[in-house]
Amino acid sequence: MSENLLLIPTYKRPERLARCLDSVVKNSSCSRIMVIFHTEDDSDYSNIFEMFSDKVEFTTTDLNSCPSKLNHACDRFGRQHDHVSFIGDDCVITTPKWDEICVRHIQDNFDGLGVVSPCEPSWGRNYDDLPLHWMQSTNFWSTVGYFVHRGMKHCYVDNLIRDFARSINSYSKISECIIEHHHPNHGFQNDETYDIGEKKHCEEDKKTYLQYINSQEFREVLGRLQKAKNVQRSL
């Protein structure tokens, strides 16, 4: 069993995915790599299947949004692994053995329960606080009850993950792990999938996030995390 399940949701971007997978295969050392794509995209990814079938698993879903794809795969396969990670199909990993570095940081600094995020220099200091892509220990997300919030379509899931992990002092960026995020907000090529994902849902997700962090459910999750942290410390 691998220590980490790496989930890569994709939507109508086979060329970007090929570049992403090339970097992931070269630089991962303890990860089971899984791509989640929409059922209708089958034919678009036929070449990708041939190129990476010996090193990458592919699973399909009728769900479209990035969070729903992540939860779909994590619910099915996540508990088979000690950690679950996420990067987008527009990412390139540049750090060898990035997954080992992240796993070791969670084990050595957070008693084996927490969240870490690689650095993404192209996004600048305004995003230093957010886990734009991340690794969660399985005992962390299973205590929360999901990998990403099930009521959000695209944005603010990272804010919530940060808030959960910070409540038990178990979140940090890993400066020695670098991801290049080829996003149009930072000068890279745009396509319609970004417009679908970001503009349509941003305000709606912001409202959901702000309501949730003031809810009783949020406080209950924080309580469960603190109890889980105390258990880990006693082991």
Side-chain angles (χ1 to χ4, degrees):
M1 181 177 75
S2 64
E3 292 186 80
N4 178 51
L5 172 63
L6 174 60
L7 301 177
I8 308 173
T10 187
Y11 182 69
K12 297 186 180 301
R13 294 199 288 221
E15 293 182 1
R16 294 176 190 265
L17 178 63
R19 179 184 59 198
C20 172
L21 289 179
D22 185 61
S23 74
V24 167
V25 168
K26 288 178 180 177
N27 291 305
S28 300
S29 57
C30 65
S31 292
R32 176 186 181 186
I33 304 164
M34 183 173 293
V35 172
I36 315 114
F37 64 98
H38 194 275
T39 309
E40 295 177 355
D41 290 349
D42 238 344
S43 59
D44 296 337
Y45 289 91
S46 57
N47 290 337
I48 307 293
F49 300 154
E50 295 177 8
M51 291 169 60
F52 295 100
S53 60
D54 60 330
K55 299 182 182 296
V56 177
E57 296 177 51
F58 299 88
T59 185
T60 62
T61 176
D62 291 330
L63 303 169
N64 271 328
S65 73
C66 176
S68 62
K69 287 177 180 176
L70 289 172
N71 281 324
H72 169 78
C74 193
D75 290 344
R76 291 184 64 193
F77 306 107
R79 294 180 189 276
Q80 301 172 21
H81 306 271
D82 294 328
H83 306 82
V84 181
S85 302
F86 151 66
I87 65 170
D89 58 4
D90 55 356
C91 292
V92 173
I93 294 178
T94 63
T95 303
K97 297 184 178 181
W98 69 275
D99 44 2
E100 282 189 33
I101 295 170
C102 289
V103 166
R104 187 164 60 248
H105 190 95
I106 291 175
Q107 293 173 342
D108 293 347
N109 296 280
F110 301 146
D111 301 301
L113 185 147
V115 179
V116 295
S117 173
C119 288
E120 303 183 29
S122 65
W123 282 72
R125 298 196 61 84
N126 288 339
Y127 290 88
D128 279 354
D129 189 43
L130 286 176
L132 299 172
H133 301 92
W134 61 80
M135 176 185 287
Q136 298 184 46
S137 61
T138 291
N139 53 8
F140 181 90
W141 63 260
S142 61
T143 298
V144 171
Y146 45 75
F147 189 61
V148 292
H149 190 275
R150 299 183 191 276
M152 296 182 187
K153 302 292 196 306
H154 186 82
C155 304
Y156 288 90
V157 294
D158 41 14
N159 299 66
L160 189 55
I161 291 167
R162 174 204 60 194
D163 296 346
F164 282 146
R166 272 190 170 172
S167 75
I168 55 171
N169 297 313
S170 292
Y171 168 69
S172 67
K173 289 272 193 174
I174 308 296
S175 59
E176 61 265 43
C177 286
I178 303 297
I179 285 180
E180 295 177 0
H181 191 181
H182 291 224
H183 193 284
N185 283 0
H186 302 280
F188 294 98
Q189 181 181 357
N190 197 5
D191 64 51
E192 66 175 4
T193 61
Y194 290 108
D195 296 330
I196 292 171
E198 299 198 16
K199 293 180 180 178
K200 181 179 179 181
H201 301 301
C202 188
E203 286 303 315
E204 181 182 340
D205 285 349
K206 181 179 180 180
K207 181 179 179 180
T208 300
Y209 166 71
L210 292 175
Q211 290 177 341
Y212 186 78
I213 61 174
N214 290 292
S215 69
Q216 178 62 28
E217 181 181 341
F218 178 71
R219 292 187 287 273
E220 290 174 356
V221 172
L222 298 186
R224 293 200 302 268
L225 284 170
Q226 190 58 62
K227 288 181 181 179
K229 187 72 170 182
N230 293 339
V231 169
Q232 287 296 116
R233 286 173 175 165
S234 68
L235 297 178

